[in-house]
Amino acid sequence: AAFAATTSLSFPVLAANDAQDIINAFTGGAEAGEGALTLDAPEIAENGNTVPIEVTVDSPMSEDDYVEAVLIVADGNPNASVATFHFTPMSGEALASTRIRLAKTQDVIAVAKMSNGTFAMDRKTVKVTIGGCGG
Amino acid sequence: GKFAAFAATQSMTQDQLLDFEDFGNVTLVHITDIHAQVKPIYFREPSINLGVGEAAGKPPHVTGADFLRLYNIEPGSPEAYALTSEDFTALAGTYGRMGGLDRVATVVKAIRAARGDNMLLLDGGDTWQGSYVSHHTNGGDMVELMNLLRPDAMTAHWEFTYGEDRVREIVDELPFAFLGSNIFDAEWDEPAYEHTKMFERGGVKVAVIGQAFPYLPIANPGWMFPSLSFGIREEVLQENVDAARAEGAELVVLLSHNGFDVDRKLAGRISGVDVILTGHTHDALPEPVVVGDTLLIASGSNGKFVSRLDLDVRDGGLKGYQYRLIPIFSDVISPDAEMTAAIDATREPHKAELERVLGTTESLLYRRGNFNGTFDDLICQALLQEREADIALSPGFRWGTSLLPGQDITVEDVFNATGMTYPNAYRSEMSGKLLKDILEDVADNLFNTDPYYQQGGDMVRVGGMGYRIDTYKPIGSRISEMTLLKTGEAIDPAKNYVVAGWASVNEETEGPAIWDVVESYITRVGTVSLEENQSVKIVQS
Amino acid sequence: MANVKPRVKVPKSANAGEVITIKTLISHPMESGQRRDKEGNLIPRQIINSFKCEFNGTPVFSCDIEPAVSSNPYFEFKARVPESGEFKFTWVDDDGSVYEETKKIEVK
Ligand SMILES: [Mn+2]
Ligand SMILES: [Mn+2]
């Protein structure tokens, strides 16, 4: 929408959506560690209507030690919920990607639930910009 | 100027400019961001190019007298003229024009003659766009002329503004590699172009990996290449580097259009790349910037420079280098006859229009600089007056050549500053809030402390409005004191203003082509004269 | 819903125990329920709300989907291939429609 008034743009505000409530419901309030889960997303979205995200969890994905689920929320959308991936030992690797809608610049947050009841978290800021200049 | 007598072009010779003691076993010749400039031109380097975060105060964010001191360059010397904006008009009178693809051809042929099979010629992209003839041939003239130079590989940015079908059509016929490790098909997320080309030069296995401009669908109209996705894709790049090493590459070269600060960050985060040939941000640096084991080369723009990097590669690794950023002084380097003839042939059908004089300029017209340039001031004046607007917006492109005081302004000159495929000059109402949001958004593309969030253009140029910018603040709080110049009133977030601009990335943008708007303004005023632009107050706190 | 077309990329063969990559796309507007029409009325939500992949009847991967997932939902994930067999993919629409696709894979 570079410099033409067809879209309006808004920047992150302090008022959060229900992201934290959704995460709390997913973890039951348990602490989520960092490191085991990696969330990949572009620094700047090419198109806020279709932003690729990918989660990878470090896990053997064996019958007794695997990733059960990964919750994805976006903390600046009108509704924070995005998706929940469910894995099984048959997944082989805990990796999944999809494409999501981001209304503005915000953080995407991923939380993984392991079969042993522990949790891991990662987040990434994705800039949704009006763009339009270049070298 | 006071230094004019110090070293005029007569005392420079082609042999001096090309003087280079052959070193090592592989020679990389790099040229980038030609923007379809095939004739000698004037090109003033920026006087303001601010760095933020870790890049603050580091090259390429050093300009003017500071640049001369940093690189120990004599003021008034040919190098000072080529590399900075200091005393530009006077030195341009002394040293003349720079560039010209026929002069570039002479240099390339001389290096090829000296180095033979040890040489690779690599084009960093932004090659096919930026002139009247390239616009009217959809880049065809540049493809034909560059083929005569016999490059070994290229990558791309503005090329895609001819549309993905046109790029595919050209690439299918290209006699050399078109590389983009980060160009993916948007639907299945699979590589859409070749990422790496392996060469054998001087007995060394050389891998050249291409990296196209990561933010093409953001900085340029994504609807022109809807099936493609770009991005930095650091992990993909690391995989491709590792694969090249596994295949036996002893030298890995990244032919990049990321922009300098992105490449500097990238160099610190991936391993196994020996040389990054940078592009997009149009920086010209007389020495490599070294990050860890990686050399970063910045070869300027508009055909002003050719980089020669001689490398000593032995026992599977880079052991040493010699580098020279060769300035293409058009009056010193003799044109290559074959290339001159080919250039003239591409221009012949358009000759009358290229040479048509619209008016003259009393002021130096240039574009580069973070906040404004006089050529953009001219464009903004044209937009304000011809489109009867309160405020004008002109994109912060880094291409566009310079004109000296007293020169005629021709159609060719106007196209050198405006020639592109989405030229419609819109006229619409925008609220004060939207104007602020636009300035904040573009400022963050330039001054985000994380280079991966930068897109590598300059600040949007503004006519009819002044503002204050604090480059060190975060997004949302950099811009203040927005003022409507014609009344001196503060911009009201709730009020609507008539805004004229061009180069919108929206598909449905309507309005006359910007070159017609500029032409009608110049022909009306006859002589262009611009006051120093003081409408942007710059703070770094 | 009419005109909903699933597409799936699965390798034709794999080694026993190999972990392969699967990619899926389904054409669907994913009407979020938050958009308004020209008269200002909310356009009712209609999305694909779940996706699952099974191999020879055993769950491999699934996803609960909210309106924030883009139109033409895309999923990429991994699967372990213990034996020759068939992958079955199922998408469920808010309107109750179920879209299915199957792909066979041969263990070398
Ligand atoms: Mn460029
Ligand atoms: Mn560029």
Side-chain angles (χ1 to χ4, degrees):
Chain A
F3 323 144
T6 53
T7 30
S8 69
L9 184 87
S10 49
F11 295 105
V13 285
L14 290 173
N17 58 16
D18 50 344
Q20 196 55 55
D21 297 341
I22 296 167
I23 293 169
N24 289 345
F26 184 75
T27 60
E31 205 53 16
E34 280 175 18
L37 168 64
T38 306
L39 169 68
D40 270 323
E43 280 79 8
I44 311 177
E46 292 185 348
N47 174 355
N49 289 322
T50 171
V51 181
I53 59 150
E54 180 175 274
V55 294
T56 319
V57 192
D58 205 0
S59 164
M61 295 304 278
S62 61
E63 286 297 333
D64 46 9
D65 185 2
Y66 65 96
V67 181
E68 281 182 6
V70 175
L71 170 77
I72 310 290
V73 295
D75 75 357
N77 277 352
N79 299 312
S81 301
V82 175
T84 308
F85 301 129
H86 300 275
F87 299 94
T88 71
M90 281 288 284
S91 302
E93 288 175 32
L95 177 151
S97 49
T98 187
R99 294 169 189 153
I100 69 173
R101 292 166 168 158
L102 296 178
K104 59 177 180 177
T105 297
Q106 59 189 288
D107 278 12
V108 179
I109 304 162
V111 188
K113 181 184 186 187
M114 319 300 181
S115 59
N116 65 9
T118 61
F119 294 86
M121 185 189 277
D122 195 15
R123 64 163 66 213
K124 180 100 190 258
T125 303
V126 178
K127 200 164 119 179
V128 179
T129 155
I130 50 178
C133 292
Chain B
K2 55 184 170 169
F3 303 107
F6 180 75
T9 46
Q10 291 91 310
S11 71
M12 263 190 281
T13 66
Q14 180 168 318
D15 287 349
Q16 281 168 355
L17 290 180
L18 292 177
D19 184 42
F20 197 116
E21 205 166 317
D22 295 348
F23 176 85
N25 44 4
V26 178
T27 294
L28 303 180
V29 178
H30 180 231
I31 187 161
T32 190
D33 295 87
I34 299 173
H35 285 285
Q37 294 306 316
V38 296
K39 299 289 279 184
I41 44 95
Y42 296 109
F43 186 89
R44 176 193 178 277
E45 298 294 333
S47 53
I48 299 180
N49 184 12
L50 303 174
V52 287
E54 289 180 20
K58 289 185 191 163
H61 303 286
V62 180
T63 54
D66 295 336
F67 187 101
L68 299 182
R69 266 191 301 276
L70 178 67
Y71 289 109
N72 201 19
I73 295 168
E74 189 83 33
S77 65
E79 291 79 9
Y81 165 61
L83 290 163
T84 72
S85 59
E86 292 290 283
D87 218 5
F88 182 78
T89 301
L91 295 180
T94 305
Y95 298 118
R97 290 178 163 86
M98 297 197 69
L101 206 60
D102 45 6
R103 276 76 169 178
V104 169
T106 298
V107 171
V108 168
K109 280 185 179 175
I111 302 172
R112 194 170 269 139
R115 300 298 275 166
D117 290 341
N118 294 29
M119 183 189 114
L120 281 174
L121 173 61
L122 302 170
D123 171 9
D126 277 357
T127 308
W128 304 345
Q129 168 275 343
S131 72
Y132 182 91
V133 181
S134 65
H135 181 73
H136 285 87
T137 58
N138 292 316
D141 66 324
M142 289 308 295
V143 173
E144 189 185 323
L145 297 174
M146 288 303 289
N147 284 351
L148 292 177
L149 276 187
R150 290 162 46 209
D152 294 287
M154 76 178 288
T155 189
H157 167 193
W158 277 88
E159 282 69 14
F160 282 98
T161 62
Y162 290 114
E164 60 181 63
D165 293 346
R166 175 62 172 156
V167 174
R168 180 51 75 186
E169 174 188 55
I170 292 173
V171 170
D172 284 348
E173 299 292 318
L174 217 52
F176 55 88
F178 182 97
L179 302 175
S181 166
N182 58 337
I183 314 176
F184 276 62
D185 125 67
E187 192 169 53
W188 291 105
D189 198 39
E190 284 164 8
Y193 283 88
E194 209 180 349
H195 52 77
T196 307
K197 175 92 178 170
M198 296 290 272
F199 298 93
E200 181 128 4
R201 289 292 186 278
V204 175
K205 267 192 149 181
V206 184
V208 176
I209 302 176
Q211 174 88 348
F213 178 49
Y215 294 126
L216 252 153
I218 302 159
N220 303 92
W223 58 266
M224 291 181 167
F225 33 88
S227 80
L228 299 175
S229 170
F230 296 80
I232 295 172
R233 297 181 189 258
E234 211 176 58
E235 274 177 38
V236 173
L237 196 53
Q238 186 66 65
E239 280 168 25
N240 290 334
V241 171
D242 294 345
R245 291 281 179 196
E247 265 181 66
E250 296 155 276
L251 182 75
V252 175
V253 178
L254 183 64
L255 179 60
S256 168
H257 204 94
N258 277 332
F260 196 91
D261 289 346
V262 174
D263 278 328
R264 175 164 29 212
K265 176 175 171 182
L266 184 75
R269 290 171 56 90
I270 61 171
S271 59
V273 175
D274 298 298
V275 178
I276 302 182
L277 301 171
T278 73
H280 180 61
T281 39
H282 293 197
D283 314 292
L285 299 178
E287 292 170 17
V289 168
V290 184
V291 177
D293 296 326
T294 307
L295 298 175
L296 275 71
I297 302 296
S299 306
S301 68
N302 289 273
K304 258 181 99 173
F305 301 95
V306 171
S307 276
R308 173 173 175 178
L309 178 64
D310 279 20
L311 301 164
D312 179 17
V313 186
R314 273 179 290 123
D315 314 320
L318 178 58
K319 304 297 174 203
Y321 69 90
Q322 290 285 331
Y323 175 66
R324 179 139 190 225
L325 179 69
I326 302 168
I328 308 296
F329 285 97
S330 312
D331 298 339
V332 178
I333 295 170
S334 52
D336 174 75
E338 181 198 17
M339 185 65 89
T340 305
I343 291 169
D344 290 346
T346 62
R347 291 167 61 86
E348 182 57 35
H350 308 281
K351 201 162 181 291
E353 196 58 9
L354 288 168
E355 292 173 358
R356 188 159 64 85
V357 175
L358 304 175
T360 55
T361 180
E362 278 178 0
S363 312
L364 172 68
L365 296 182
Y366 64 92
R367 173 168 277 163
R368 274 310 307 282
N370 280 162
F371 301 98
N372 38 46
T374 47
F375 215 122
D376 291 309
D377 292 339
L378 167 62
I379 291 171
C380 285
Q381 281 307 313
L383 283 165
L384 288 175
Q385 302 211 6
E386 307 304 303
R387 303 290 282 150
E388 292 171 4
D390 302 321
I391 293 165
L393 297 178
S394 188
F397 296 141
R398 293 191 171 197
W399 46 271
T401 58
S402 308
L403 288 177
L404 303 184
Q407 272 194 276
D408 285 341
I409 308 172
T410 63
V411 169
E412 172 161 37
D413 298 325
V414 171
F415 267 81
N416 283 350
T418 61
M420 40 91 95
T421 55
Y422 46 107
N424 305 72
Y426 62 83
R427 182 179 189 277
S428 61
E429 291 210 345
M430 292 188 195
S431 68
K433 180 185 183 305
L434 178 63
L435 282 163
K436 163 96 155 65
D437 286 348
I438 287 172
L439 293 185
E440 289 284 0
D441 191 67
V442 181
D444 197 59
N445 292 337
L446 194 52
F447 300 117
N448 194 302
T449 51
D450 183 344
Y452 282 11
Y453 290 88
Q454 297 173 5
Q455 291 171 28
D458 279 315
M459 193 65 192
V460 56
R461 275 69 167 124
V462 180
M465 187 177 83
Y467 65 91
R468 176 185 190 268
I469 180 167
D470 189 339
T471 62
Y472 286 175
K473 290 275 197 309
I475 189 164
S477 48
R478 288 192 182 95
I479 307 291
S480 61
E481 295 174 25
M482 288 166 59
T483 311
L484 189 66
L485 294 180
K486 69 179 178 190
T487 62
E489 286 166 18
I491 296 284
D492 180 349
K495 211 181 138 188
N496 276 358
Y497 299 87
V498 176
V499 179
W502 64 290
S504 166
V505 297
N506 286 339
E507 187 167 8
E508 69 279 11
T509 306
E510 286 175 9
I514 186 64
W515 46 79
D516 289 334
V517 177
V518 174
E519 170 172 342
S520 109
Y521 175 75
I522 296 174
T523 44
R524 199 158 55 72
V525 300
T527 302
V528 171
S529 179
L530 294 155
E531 314 260 297
E532 197 194 336
N533 187 332
Q534 295 177 319
S535 60
V536 183
K537 227 186 289 174
I538 303 148
V539 200
Q540 293 180 289
S541 66
Chain C
M1 193 177 179
N3 296 324
V4 174
K5 195 171 140 263
R7 285 178 291 163
V8 172
K9 285 194 173 189
V10 177
K12 288 201 163 46
S13 65
N15 297 315
E18 190 182 337
V19 176
I20 60 160
T21 298
I22 293 176
K23 297 181 178 189
T24 71
L25 265 173
I26 187 162
S27 53
H28 194 285
M30 295 291 282
E31 192 58 61
S32 68
Q34 291 152 17
R35 294 200 313 147
R36 288 178 189 278
D37 63 18
K38 284 196 183 104
E39 283 76 49
N41 305 313
L42 272 183
I43 304 170
R45 167 183 146 151
Q46 191 184 347
I47 67 166
I48 299 269
N49 58 48
S50 79
F51 165 75
K52 69 177 174 188
C53 166
E54 297 153 299
F55 182 70
N56 291 344
T58 309
V60 173
F61 171 83
S62 67
C63 185
D64 312 328
I65 304 168
E66 303 289 339
V69 169
S70 306
S71 57
N72 307 326
Y74 170 85
F75 295 103
E76 178 179 335
F77 52 93
K78 301 280 186 179
R80 201 189 301 278
V81 186
E83 69 217 0
S84 294
E86 188 174 79
F87 284 101
K88 184 179 173 196
F89 306 91
T90 311
W91 293 259
V92 179
D93 194 309
D94 275 350
D95 72 0
S97 308
V98 173
Y99 317 105
E100 288 178 347
E101 177 74 311
T102 56
K103 287 278 175 192
K104 286 192 164 44
I105 189 165
E106 194 90 11
V107 161
K108 286 180 259 189

